[in-house]
Amino acid sequence: MTSQTPHGSAPQDYQVFDAATLPANDNVNPYAFSVDLDGQWFLQKGKMIAYYGQIDFHGIGHGRLDRLVAGSFHSPLHAADWVVAEGRGKLLLADRAFDINSFDLEEGNLTVRSGNLLAFDPALSLKQSIIPGFLTLIGTGKFVAASNGEVHFVEPPVRVDPQALVGWADCPSPCHHYDHQYMRGVMGGVRAMTGLGGASGEEHQFEFVGAGTVLIQSTEMLLEDRATGQVPHQAGVPGDGSGGAGGPGGQLPGQLGGLQRRLGL
Amino acid sequence: MAQFRLQGTKVLAATLGGGGDTVKAKNGSMVAYDGEMAFKKLSGGGDGVRGMVTRRLTGEQMTVMEVKGQGTCYFADRASDISLVRLAGEKLHVEASNLLCTDGGLRTGTTFTGLRGASQGNGLFTTSVEGTGWAAVMSDGPAVLLRVTRDTPLQVDPGAYVAHQGDLRQSFQSGVNFRTFMGEGSGESFQVRFEGDGVVYVQPSERNTLGGDV
């Protein structure tokens, strides 16, 4: 317990920021980020909490932003969730009091869960990952992401819990890993399907190999996914719903194959 | 006069010296106390019948209790972060839902804020706190204090607004245009603009607002 004197927390002890003292492209506190805007930035709808200066917000659609969108956005359909902030000033971003981190990419690439990405510099280009629900940023520039609890950086080889995964940089895409000892056979199938018989909830991980960095958050509470747009309905394109291996009705990522198939029926 | 201090960032410790020291706190926000305390519910925000009617009419209802006694009383609400404000005659404007506790000697009232409230879904009014003593303001995540000067007006998302102090004028700013109606709204169509001299408290989170999806 830390105890303060009764006068220890007078309002003048709180730091009061103004247009000049707000940090430039840095965190104000772990939950709010200040962008020094001179030009344009992309941000997710509804994440601006305050700003100084002259800034306009435009929904993304047809018009004079077309060229910018074409250059930095490669999925026309999920553009509806994004806004372009344009002008000069200091812009404060926050997301439901989640932890906020900024990342600098230098001629790099980073794939992040769609719900975690908050804002990015248009010098980067945003593309849909072939893994459903993830987005990939490519190029050089800064972006801001939210996470539930602090972000930790780990290096492959590593296996991570699916709900704790925020994203990964520079390494090949992950694959599913199952605890085979536990999942094998009829009982394993029953356990996995029903949770009966003592499933630990940790039979399935994402496995990363190769060189790069994996970003994990400190809880297993996911941030709500944002639509990433549809992918073309084409043979060979994962995630278009007409999937090859999933069979009729499709299959959620991470879900196990049907019980019949496990039993070889 | 009651003395306020923070125990961590999410618990308020109010020390009452007996002899008529009181604080007004959000109903049910007491988490612990030592010494002798008496809790009395104040109907309708504790500003008398007139205040009660005003609060009811303006939608700035607060369920408030009066705490009286000697010792230290601890208050917290849903693990919200707390900021302490020491008033020496000034006026603090705060959303009723963000006010945790005030010194019993402070006067609370309701003030008309213009159109800001309308977009926020919690009315056209805020609560004002005036006098000499401590007030404790809650926010979802630690509040960021932003200074407004004559040269640097500030725009705030209505959902992130918590409180303000000083000589500030607020006006409602809307960026609604034909695109909004075509489903291409920017999600940031409504802002409150603060001009003058003062400090605005914003939280790193947004309440659900009517304007939030536009």
Side-chain angles (χ1 to χ4, degrees), chain A residues 14-17 22 28-29 31-34 47-52 90-94 97, chain B residues 81-83 92-95 98 116 120 137-148 154-165 168 191-194 199-207:
Chain A
Y14 292 110
Q15 191 173 1
V16 180
F17 293 96
L22 270 178
V28 181
N29 63 31
Y31 315 97
F33 185 85
S34 165
K47 305 304 181 202
M48 180 280 287
I49 56 166
Y51 67 89
Y52 287 105
K90 291 270 177 71
L91 178 65
L92 277 181
L93 303 173
Chain B
D81 283 83
I82 299 171
S83 309
L92 170 78
H93 294 267
V94 58
E95 279 305 316
N98 290 94
R116 177 177 62 73
Q120 211 167 299
V137 172
M138 297 186 285
S139 53
D140 184 16
V144 180
L145 278 64
L146 297 170
R147 184 175 302 285
V148 179
L154 174 73
Q155 283 75 230
V156 177
D157 187 291
Y161 167 83
V162 173
H164 75 266
Q165 248 184 311
L168 289 177
Q191 291 129 24
V192 196
R193 185 179 168 90
F194 287 94
V199 174
V200 180
Y201 295 63
V202 295
Q203 61 183 10
S205 171
E206 299 190 355
R207 286 180 287 266

Side-chain angles (χ1 to χ4, degrees), chain B residues 78-101:
Chain B
R78 294 162 165 264
S80 299
D81 283 83
I82 299 171
S83 309
L84 292 185
V85 184
R86 164 112 194 158
L87 294 174
E90 310 95 324
K91 203 174 206 179
L92 170 78
H93 294 267
V94 58
E95 279 305 316
S97 52
N98 290 94
L99 189 59
L100 176 67
C101 188

